[in-house]
């Protein structure tokens, strides 16, 4: 038994819903009590979906438990198949139904639907979580649909360069994008463009937007791209083992990773390396080198996200933006090893936890100037007064923007530069504030260019330990950074047992806190 | 009145969701759900935001070990409660809330509460109830929580009015002022603002329900000798007026005095509703089952806002508690109880109503089909009770229509 207040991931059947809702022509019959339908709103509210997820809940009640809940399951399956005419049916149970052991999957298999592929999902609700459920569901669905096509043991692995002899363009599958994943919709578009730029087509994108018929075409591609390991890792490994399909595992988030990804594509498919585009397709490298970005140097950044986005963010922050990564972690236990390795490269110990309070404590201890995290970290950072950019699920409605905002590829790097840097004060601005802080324009009440007197914000009275000259010096600090200067000086004085904060103490504190 | 009873898939929250407003009412109480990750995820998703550093609710998530041995589960629960209370010394009442999985494995939370009470006597009171989806729908969670408090209420013979059901603090303050003006008192509330200040009850107590979904609480109070005052619920001007009048009459207040107090409020409330009535009048309304407040809302929207009622769905129809509302609905109103989601949506599509009141899972899909919706969840989170709020209540329904009328993309 563990106490949970807020949770990063839902139960595994919500992961299964993400697969079903991402696809077309799939229906999911979920043996579950009333109340579990709450999960619909994740899709209709956060993703603003224009239709309910394709899920039929059996909605059993206490009074059904004495009777025949299995009958209820069969009735629900029959109604769902009749009404929705799916091309593939997922059947599973939520946490409560798992306890009553009606085995809905087996019941469905026995209902005589003949050609309708039925996938029995057994997702242990008391030990696993949402992302695992999504990965397992995608794997079971692909396996269930493709098991008839598995080549005989000992068959040679197909050559990823066979497109040349077959007289066609090379093609790859993009596996892993799903609803409630971070910016998947736009990442698919961006990666498709990226591949087109080196003459590669996309065969199947799955699960997002795919039909069961599309999944049957997976082996026709020359290789797979594992875009989101949380969802696609098991499927890619299985396709590799059973169909000999090579898998590209570099996730193209950031300039370095995008370049590496394209290199792998070119090498694997035997393309002409001369076709490789230059990294200046993105503005990030120049923006990062430009003088205004000097102030980004060594900014302390705390990162906590799903494994894919955490690892990518750590690399971009340290190598492409010149930040100092002061904390790195993830709630993805399944991918913990990769996160630990990424942290070790930066001389850090990874925080692998799904306790958001432990994450907040680590965040506070690391004293970052910027937090890159999930919606949970956004709230924690707000409490700590630290700017934050959201880089990963769990999502809020604002993380599904109307505009094109991928994370992957060249444009993804542009988006990342803007969305990580904008929460910080602009470089030149920060500089000017330092230069002109003694000018009268920065004195309270002279902020508006229209010459009006701005109402000064109520400010807590300066605490008694300030001397007159200290207070006078403090007043010269622009009001919008004065609170921070005051806090720093008081902290500094407290830590050293200094009773009176003079102007000298304030400058000492300033020297101490500035790096 | 004919009622269509349906069973099948329900698109309704379970009783755990009530915790979202109950914990705000009693800031010295903690609600500990004993359940699964699904329970935790449900409350978090229904609450919509995760803004509290440490909320006063949480979930003790059962793991495989707890399922394997109930003895261990009990020991684990005790350990977890001890840790929690050590970290939250301000907590005075701990609600152990049963869930679907805890009910199915028959984890005896009543016994756990008894055990913990012995250990924590004098410091924290432990109360248990079930908010499980196999037994409760959405607002029934509050009914179960209050029912669990009834045996703990001290006995008291004084003549008093007891308001039953959570109100927004500001609304409650307003109501107390009005009862004072009417000359009705003393007035106490269940749940109280502080979980330790439980109101005494006895044969002198007359209870007025603020919400129509408190049937089990009402029966438990009656068993303690409390008299229930049947009235329409204080939604809209008319419901609020009759609600106050019922209390005043029970306390023997001169009707002329009652009218003198209420008339100005009624006039002001009607004036506040009037502009929204212009928006809503003649529009056709379909209420999907959600909170059991649907009959009262239908009564308000029909009688005070001039809407036509296509169908009034409710997850459960408590005849006793709803009779004062049913009496005010127009004859032949199509009432439905329970839900078969797909069939009900077929009726919605066939009727093409001007406004559908529904949960968040259905709102965008219906909007995408061209049907205007109002999220029902706002009706349990917003202060909507009383004459003074009638304008705001009408506005909640008028806004989606006004918004649709104001948007143009061509």
């Amino acid at each position: 038994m563990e106490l949970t207040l807020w949770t990063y991931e839902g139960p595994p059947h919500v992961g299964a819903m993400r697969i079903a809702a991402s696809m077309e022509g799939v229906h999911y019959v979920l043996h579950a009590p009333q109340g579990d339908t709450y999960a619909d709103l994740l899709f209709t509210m956060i993703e603003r979906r224009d239709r309910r997820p394709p899920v039929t809940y059996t909605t059993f009640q206490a009074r059904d438990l004495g009777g025949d809940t299995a009958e209820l399951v069969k009735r629900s399956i029959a109604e769902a198949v009749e009404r929705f005419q799916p091309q593939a049916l997922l059947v599973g149970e939520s946490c409560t139904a798992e306890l009553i052991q009606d085995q809905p999957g087996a019941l469905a298999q026995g209902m005589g639907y003949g050609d309708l592929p039925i996938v029995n999902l057994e997702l242990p609700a008391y030990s696993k979580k949402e992302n695992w459920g999504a990965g397992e569901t995608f794997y079971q669905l692909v396996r269930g649909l493709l098991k008839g096509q598995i080549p005989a043991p000992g068959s040679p692995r197909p050559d990823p360069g066979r497109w040349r002899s077959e007289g066609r363009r090379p093609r790859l599958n993009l596996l892993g994008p799903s609803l409630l994943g971070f910016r998947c919709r736009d990442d698919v578009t961006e990666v498709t463009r990226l591949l087109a730029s080196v003459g590669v087509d996309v065969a199947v994108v799955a699960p997002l937007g795919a039909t069961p018929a599309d999944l049957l075409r997976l082996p026709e591609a020359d290789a797979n791209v594992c875009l989101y390991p949380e969802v696609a890792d098991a499927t890619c490994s299985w396709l590799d083992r059973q169909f000999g399909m090579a898998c590209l595992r570099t996730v193209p988030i950031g300039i370095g990773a995008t370049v590496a990804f394209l290199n792998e594509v070119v090498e694997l498919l035997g393309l002409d390396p001369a076709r490789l585009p230059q990294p200046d397709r993105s503005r990030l490298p120049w923006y990062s080198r430009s003088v205004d970005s000097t102030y980004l140097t060594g900014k302390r950044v705390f990162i906590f996200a799903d494994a894919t986005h955490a690892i990518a963010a750590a690399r971009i922050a340290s190598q492409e933006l010149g930040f100092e990564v002061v904390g790195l972690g993830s709630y993805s236990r399944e991918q913990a090893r990769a996160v630990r390795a990424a942290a070790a490269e930066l001389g850090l110990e990874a925080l692998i936890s799904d306790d958001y309070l432990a994450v907040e404590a680590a965040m506070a201890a690391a004293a970052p100037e910027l937090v890159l995290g999930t919606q949970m970290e956004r709230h924690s950072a707000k409490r700590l007064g630290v700017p934050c950019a959201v880089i990963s699920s769990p999502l809020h409605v604002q993380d599904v923007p109307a505009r094109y905002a991928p994370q992957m590829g060249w444009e993804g790097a542009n988006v990342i530069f803007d969305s990580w840097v904008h929460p910080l004060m602009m470089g030149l601005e920060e500089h000017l504030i330092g230069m002109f802080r003694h000018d009268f324009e920065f004195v309270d009440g002279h902020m508006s260019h229209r010459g009006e007197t701005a109402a000064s914000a109520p400010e807590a009275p300066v605490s008694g330990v300030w001397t007159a000259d200290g207070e006078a010096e403090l007043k010269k600090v622009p009001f919008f950074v004065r609170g921070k200067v005051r806090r720093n000086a008081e902290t500094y004085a407290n830590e050293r047992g200094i009773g009176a904060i003079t102007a000298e103490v304030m400058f000492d504190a300033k020297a101490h806190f500035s790096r | 009145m004919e009622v269509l009873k349906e069973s099948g898939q329900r698109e309704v929250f379970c009783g755990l969701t009530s915790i979202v407003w109950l914990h705000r009412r009693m800031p010295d109480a903690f609600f500990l759900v004993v359940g699964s990750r699904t329970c935790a995820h449900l409350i978090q998703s229904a609450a919509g935001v995760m803004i509290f550093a440490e909320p006063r609710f949480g979930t003790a998530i059962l793991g495989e070990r707890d399922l394997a041995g109930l003895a261990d589960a009990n020991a684990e629960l005790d350990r977890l409660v001890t840790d929690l209370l050590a970290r939250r010394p301000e907590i005075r009442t701990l609600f152990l809330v049963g869930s679907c999985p805890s009910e199915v494995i028959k984890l005896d939370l009543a016994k756990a509460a008894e055990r913990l009470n012995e250990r924590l006597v004098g410091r924290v009171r432990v109360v248990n109830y079930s908010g499980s989806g196999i037994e409760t729908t959405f607002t029934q969670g509050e009914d179960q929580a209050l029912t669990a408090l009834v045996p703990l209420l001290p006995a008291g013979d004084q003549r008093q009015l007891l308001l039953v059901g959570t109100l927004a603090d500001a609304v409650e303050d307003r109501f107390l002022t009005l009862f004072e003006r009417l000359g009705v008192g003393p007035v106490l509330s269940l749940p109280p603002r502080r979980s330790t200040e439980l109101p005494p009850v006895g044969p002198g107590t007359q209870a007025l329900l603020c919400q129509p979904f408190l049937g089990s609480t009402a029966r438990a109070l009656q068993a303690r000798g409390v008299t229930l005052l049947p009235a329409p619920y204080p939604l809209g001007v008319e419901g609020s007026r009759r609600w106050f009048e019922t209390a005043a009459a029970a306390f023997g207040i001169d009707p002329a005095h009652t009218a003198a107090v209420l008339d100005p409020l009624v006039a002001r409330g009607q004036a506040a509703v009037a502009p929204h009535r212009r928006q809503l009048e003649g529009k056709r309304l379909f209420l999907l089952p959600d909170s059991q407040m649907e009959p009262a809302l239908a009564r308000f929207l029909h009688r005070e806002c001039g809407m036509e009622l296509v169908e009034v769905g409710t997850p459960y129809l408590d005849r006793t508690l709803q009779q004062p509302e049913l009496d005010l609905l127009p004859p032949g109103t199509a009432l439905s109880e329970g839900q078969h989601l797909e069939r009900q949506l077929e009726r919605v599509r066939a009727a093409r109503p001007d406004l559908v009141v529904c949960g968040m899972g259905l709102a965008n899909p219906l909007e995408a089909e061209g049907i205007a919706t109002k999220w029902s969840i706002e009706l349990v989170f917003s202060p909507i009770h009383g004459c003074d709020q009638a304008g705001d209540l009408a506005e909640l329904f008028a806004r989606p229509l006004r918004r649709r009328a104001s948007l143009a993309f061509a």
Side-chain angles (χ1 to χ4, degrees):
Chain A
M1 207 176 282
E2 75 177 295
L3 178 65
T4 297
L5 304 164
W6 303 116
T7 151
Y8 287 94
E9 294 180 72
H13 73 260
V14 168
M17 285 182 67
R18 282 173 55 186
I19 304 303
S22 295
M23 293 183 63
E24 307 284 334
V26 173
H27 199 85
Y28 183 22
V29 175
L30 183 64
H31 196 20
Q34 157 177 277
D36 286 6
T37 49
Y38 81 87
D40 285 4
L41 74 85
L42 303 171
F43 299 90
T44 63
M45 297 301 289
I46 295 175
E47 285 268 6
R48 297 182 211 253
R49 293 286 282 177
D50 59 0
R51 58 201 136 139
R52 281 184 48 238
V55 182
T56 295
Y57 303 80
T58 60
T59 313
F60 62 87
Q61 295 181 297
R63 63 165 182 264
D64 299 319
L65 291 177
D68 200 349
T69 44
E71 250 336 288
L72 179 63
V73 172
K74 290 205 296 213
R75 200 161 63 234
S76 303
I77 292 170
E79 277 188 35
V81 171
E82 163 74 24
R83 185 178 292 273
F84 298 104
Q85 305 278 324
Q87 298 162 38
L89 186 69
L90 304 174
V91 182
E93 45 201 2
S94 77
C95 51
T96 310
E98 186 180 327
L99 300 170
I100 57 179
Q101 302 184 334
D102 280 326
Q103 307 196 314
L107 291 174
Q109 312 271 11
M111 287 175 70
Y113 284 118
D115 291 342
L116 174 64
I118 296 175
V119 178
N120 176 15
L121 293 177
E122 286 180 8
L123 309 174
Y126 297 92
S127 55
K128 299 292 188 184
K129 290 182 282 195
E130 177 179 334
N131 280 341
W132 182 88
E136 176 71 8
T137 301
F138 187 43
Y139 161 63
Q140 293 292 351
L141 182 58
V142 167
R143 186 170 161 264
L145 289 167
L146 286 178
K147 63 186 171 204
Q149 289 188 38
I150 296 175
S155 308
R157 283 172 71 91
D159 172 14
R162 68 183 188 272
W163 55 276
R164 214 182 282 278
S165 59
E166 290 176 11
R168 58 169 171 84
R169 282 160 61 97
R171 56 187 177 226
L172 297 173
N173 296 322
L174 303 184
L175 302 184
S178 68
L179 294 180
L180 298 178
F182 195 71
R183 306 285 165 85
C184 291
R185 172 196 75 193
D186 296 344
D187 281 349
V188 166
T189 305
E190 187 64 19
V191 173
T192 303
R193 284 180 192 167
L194 197 60
L195 290 171
S197 75
V198 291
V200 175
D201 292 337
V202 169
V204 174
V205 178
L208 194 62
T211 63
D214 291 331
L215 297 187
L216 289 170
R217 296 193 291 113
L218 286 175
E220 293 172 16
D222 298 311
N224 294 311
V225 178
C226 185
L227 270 193
Y228 302 93
E230 280 85 353
V231 173
D233 186 50
T235 303
C236 289
S237 298
W238 184 79
L239 289 168
D240 191 332
R241 267 194 326 273
Q242 300 294 340
F243 287 82
M245 292 183 78
C247 179
L248 292 157
R249 290 189 177 271
T250 298
V251 178
I253 303 180
I255 299 298
T258 300
V259 170
F261 171 79
L262 288 174
N263 278 326
E264 279 180 53
V265 170
V266 164
E267 193 182 334
L268 179 76
L269 298 172
L271 293 159
D272 177 8
R275 295 194 64 167
L276 277 175
Q278 295 303 304
D280 61 7
R281 293 269 178 118
S282 169
R283 293 188 187 91
L284 183 142
W286 167 242
Y287 271 45
S288 190
R289 283 196 305 268
S290 67
V291 289
D292 191 80
S293 296
T294 310
Y295 80 106
L296 299 176
T297 312
K299 285 268 184 204
R300 299 168 62 81
V301 182
F302 181 91
I303 300 168
F304 193 88
D306 67 9
T308 302
H309 292 90
I311 293 168
R315 198 176 42 237
I316 296 168
S318 61
Q319 294 176 15
E320 299 175 16
L321 295 172
F323 291 150
E324 182 190 357
V325 179
V326 293
L328 175 61
S330 174
Y331 57 86
S332 308
R333 272 182 206 282
E334 290 83 3
Q335 277 81 26
R337 186 190 301 218
V339 181
R340 288 205 175 93
E345 270 179 39
L346 295 165
L348 298 166
E349 193 177 332
L351 172 64
I352 307 297
S353 175
D354 58 1
D355 176 356
Y356 78 103
L357 289 174
V359 177
E360 181 174 332
M363 186 190 296
E369 292 159 281
L370 175 68
V371 169
L372 303 173
T374 72
Q375 277 295 325
M376 312 271 261
E377 283 66 48
R378 188 172 73 83
H379 288 294
S380 298
K382 205 163 155 191
R383 278 193 292 279
L384 297 174
V386 182
C388 175
V390 175
I391 60 164
S392 151
S393 302
L395 305 180
H396 193 262
V397 64
Q398 70 188 22
D399 302 316
V400 188
R403 69 179 187 283
Y404 181 58
Q407 298 289 288
M408 294 182 178
W410 309 128
E411 183 60 21
N414 293 338
V415 169
I416 284 172
F417 184 91
D418 287 350
S419 52
W420 295 9
V421 168
H422 286 181
L424 302 166
M425 200 187 297
M426 283 177 286
L428 192 56
E429 183 176 281
E430 192 171 274
H431 221 72
L432 289 175
I433 287 164
M435 276 172 70
F436 295 116
R437 68 195 185 95
H438 296 301
D439 287 18
F440 72 89
E441 284 88 350
F442 277 124
V443 176
D444 303 12
H446 283 275
M447 270 306 288
S448 171
H449 288 186
R450 288 153 64 208
E452 291 166 4
T453 302
S456 52
E459 202 173 316
V462 170
S463 67
V465 293
W466 288 77
T467 64
D469 77 314
E471 210 169 318
E473 202 55 46
L474 183 64
K475 283 232 170 83
K476 293 176 194 164
V477 176
F479 72 93
F480 47 89
V481 288
R482 192 179 301 148
K484 187 177 173 191
V485 171
R486 189 179 64 187
R487 267 198 314 278
N488 283 349
E490 288 173 359
T491 308
Y492 179 83
N494 267 336
E495 282 171 357
R496 283 161 189 73
I498 297 170
I501 304 175
T502 60
E504 288 311 308
V505 173
M506 195 186 101
F507 286 122
D508 285 346
K510 183 171 179 296
H512 174 75
F513 283 104
S514 69
R515 282 169 297 105
Chain B
M1 204 170 272
E2 194 93 350
V3 180
L4 172 66
K5 292 199 179 198
E6 286 197 299
S7 66
Q9 176 175 329
R10 288 185 168 207
E11 190 83 9
V12 191
F13 289 136
C14 66
L16 296 181
T17 324
S18 298
I19 291 170
V20 178
W21 64 87
L22 280 171
H23 88 282
R24 298 189 62 201
R25 171 67 182 181
M26 289 178 280
D28 61 343
F30 193 100
F31 291 80
L32 181 63
V33 177
V34 182
S36 65
R37 184 165 300 280
T38 315
C39 307
H41 201 230
L42 157 94
I43 300 174
Q44 163 171 333
S45 306
V49 285
M50 300 171 270
I51 52 172
F52 310 108
E54 265 207 79
R56 275 171 286 98
F57 55 82
T59 307
I61 296 186
L62 296 161
E64 279 178 327
R65 271 189 40 215
D66 304 302
L67 301 178
L70 282 181
D72 286 349
N74 281 311
E76 277 288 281
L77 181 59
D78 291 6
R79 173 189 64 80
L80 198 139
V81 166
T82 309
D83 290 354
L84 174 70
L85 294 175
R87 212 173 59 211
R88 306 297 297 271
E90 78 281 14
I91 298 303
R92 291 287 160 268
T93 303
L94 176 70
F95 287 89
L96 292 181
V97 189
S99 66
C100 300
S102 80
E103 297 293 324
V104 168
I105 64 169
K106 303 203 185 311
L107 186 59
D108 192 340
L109 293 183
K111 207 162 234 165
E114 208 174 287
R115 196 171 61 233
L116 288 163
N117 265 325
E118 274 170 30
R119 251 194 22 221
L120 299 166
V121 65
R123 284 186 289 156
V124 178
R125 173 131 62 181
V126 185
V127 184
N128 84 286
Y129 73 92
S130 172
S132 88
I134 55 176
E135 290 155 313
T136 62
T137 298
F138 197 20
T139 49
Q140 282 175 321
E142 176 171 352
D143 192 22
Q144 292 303 310
L146 299 189
T147 304
L149 288 178
V150 171
L152 308 178
L153 305 180
D157 289 337
Q158 70 163 337
R159 184 160 189 249
Q160 62 178 11
L161 181 67
L162 182 68
L163 304 182
V164 186
T166 298
L167 292 171
D169 284 354
V171 171
E172 186 195 35
D173 287 340
R174 179 76 181 142
F175 282 9
L176 294 177
T177 307
L178 293 177
F179 280 119
E180 199 177 309
R181 270 190 220 164
L182 287 168
V184 172
V187 183
L188 298 172
S189 295
L190 179 70
R193 287 189 199 190
R194 292 195 55 78
S195 70
T196 47
E197 291 168 3
L198 293 174
V201 293
T205 305
Q206 314 229 42
L208 198 54
L209 300 187
C210 303
Q211 310 279 14
F213 46 72
L214 299 172
S216 156
T217 308
R219 285 187 292 279
L221 285 169
Q222 283 173 316
R224 297 278 313 259
V226 171
T227 309
L228 208 60
L229 301 175
Y233 296 88
L235 297 172
V237 173
E238 181 189 30
S240 304
R241 169 173 206 137
R242 289 181 186 232
W243 189 76
F244 279 109
E245 281 173 347
T246 303
F251 278 73
I253 308 298
D254 175 9
H257 174 65
T258 304
V261 172
L262 295 180
D263 282 349
L265 292 174
V266 166
R268 197 171 61 197
Q270 285 167 340
V273 169
H276 306 300
R277 184 183 170 110
R278 282 194 287 280
Q279 192 92 48
L280 296 170
E281 193 149 36
K283 296 288 194 304
R284 298 165 65 247
L285 174 74
F286 200 122
L287 291 128
L288 294 183
D290 195 59
S291 64
Q292 296 187 52
M293 289 158 78
E294 293 81 11
L297 293 168
R299 178 261 302 156
F300 166 66
L301 290 166
H302 173 70
R303 292 170 66 102
E304 294 179 52
C305 301
M307 295 189 86
E308 278 176 42
L309 305 176
V310 177
E311 180 172 328
V312 181
T314 184
Y316 172 67
L317 188 67
D318 184 323
R319 285 277 183 178
T320 319
L321 262 53
Q322 296 283 9
Q323 201 55 52
E325 292 292 353
L326 300 183
D327 290 343
L328 295 173
L329 289 177
T333 299
L335 278 170
S336 62
E337 180 185 11
Q339 191 169 32
H340 183 294
L341 179 64
E342 298 296 347
R343 284 208 285 266
Q344 194 163 34
L345 289 177
E346 278 170 7
R347 295 200 295 277
V348 169
R349 290 181 187 116
R352 300 296 300 181
D354 297 297
L355 187 67
V356 175
V357 180
C358 63
M360 291 190 284
L362 295 172
N364 270 336
L366 287 171
E367 292 279 354
E369 291 182 35
I371 296 171
T373 60
K374 166 82 219 103
W375 314 340
S376 48
I377 190 98
E378 249 181 300
L379 301 164
V380 291
F381 291 158
S382 315
I384 57 170
H385 294 75
C387 293
D388 300 305
Q389 315 293 335
D392 290 351
L393 181 58
E395 202 271 341
L396 285 180
F397 297 93
R399 194 185 310 163
L401 300 178
R402 207 173 67 231
R403 178 166 180 77
R404 285 169 82 90
S406 70
L407 295 179
F409 303 102

